[in-house]
């Protein structure tokens, strides 16, 4: 048993998908990547509504949910392998301050420092990079 859904995003090619609550309404949202376009869709009044579509300068290769310590909702993480950059998107597709950063893998955000500040942990080729936010 299954169903089909169609989300118009960018060129509609090289589609990647991430199911996570990025709006903060406790419902999971449909987050879709197509080359350099990323969009988020959510249920609103029993219909699927486009929350945003953001066109980035360069193609992205991966989309995934990033949990931020102390926040109920997730944010969207992106990886551009050709640019060797990672990007974090906020609720309505705004690029988070300090991003993009150098990186070639998916990343996580944790409280690693004694002062309680958040750190981004990612890979860059054969290295592990840690950035203080």
């Amino acid at each position: 048993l299954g169903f089909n859904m169609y989300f118009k995003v960018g060129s509609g090619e090289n589609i990647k998908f991430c199911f996570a609550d990025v709006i903060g309404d406790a419902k999971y949202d449909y987050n879709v990547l197509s080359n350099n376009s990323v969009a988020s869709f959510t249920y609103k009044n029993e219909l699927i509504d486009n929350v945003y579509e953001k066109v980035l300068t360069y193609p992205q290769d991966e989309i995934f949910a990033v949990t931020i310590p102390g926040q109920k909702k997730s944010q969207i993480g992106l990886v551009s392998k050709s640019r060797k950059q990672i990007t974090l998107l906020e609720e309505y597709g705004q690029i988070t301050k300090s991003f993009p950063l150098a990186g070639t893998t998916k990343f996580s955000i944790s409280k690693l420092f004694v002062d309680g500040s958040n750190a981004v942990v990612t890979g860059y080729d054969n290295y592990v990079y840690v950035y203080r936010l």
Side-chain angles (χ1 to χ4, degrees):
L1 183 56
F3 60 94
N4 292 325
M5 299 181 90
Y6 176 75
F7 300 108
K8 182 164 176 23
V9 179
S11 66
E13 299 172 337
N14 301 318
I15 296 293
K16 304 281 179 20
F17 177 78
C18 170
F19 195 52
D21 178 19
V22 298
I23 303 303
D25 58 4
K27 294 183 293 188
Y28 276 53
D29 307 301
Y30 302 91
N31 304 286
V32 183
L33 172 66
S34 173
N35 293 324
N36 64 324
S37 294
V38 62
S40 185
F41 299 85
T42 192
Y43 274 106
K44 190 181 235 180
N45 301 323
E46 298 189 27
L47 296 172
I48 293 181
D49 186 35
N50 183 308
V51 177
Y52 72 85
E53 181 169 357
K54 175 137 185 104
V55 178
L56 299 156
T57 308
Y58 302 102
Q60 304 296 307
D61 298 292
E62 297 187 51
I63 183 171
F64 55 97
V66 178
T67 304
I68 311 293
Q71 288 187 10
K72 292 180 185 177
K73 63 185 175 185
S74 297
Q75 289 181 261
I76 294 298
L78 301 167
V79 178
S80 174
K81 293 181 181 176
S82 65
R83 301 290 297 174
K84 294 188 173 191
Q85 289 182 333
I86 57 173
T87 301
L88 184 65
L89 298 182
E90 295 179 2
E91 184 175 352
Y92 291 100
Q94 305 97 323
I95 296 175
T96 303
K97 184 181 175 186
S98 302
F99 284 84
L101 296 168
T104 56
T105 66
K106 292 181 179 180
F107 58 92
S108 63
I109 297 180
S110 304
K111 292 194 177 298
L112 291 180
F113 300 106
V114 175
D115 68 1
S117 61
N118 287 335
V120 176
V121 180
T122 190
Y124 187 94
D125 294 335
N126 294 325
Y127 300 94
V128 174
Y129 278 27
V130 178
Y131 299 99
R132 183 186 302 264
L133 289 181

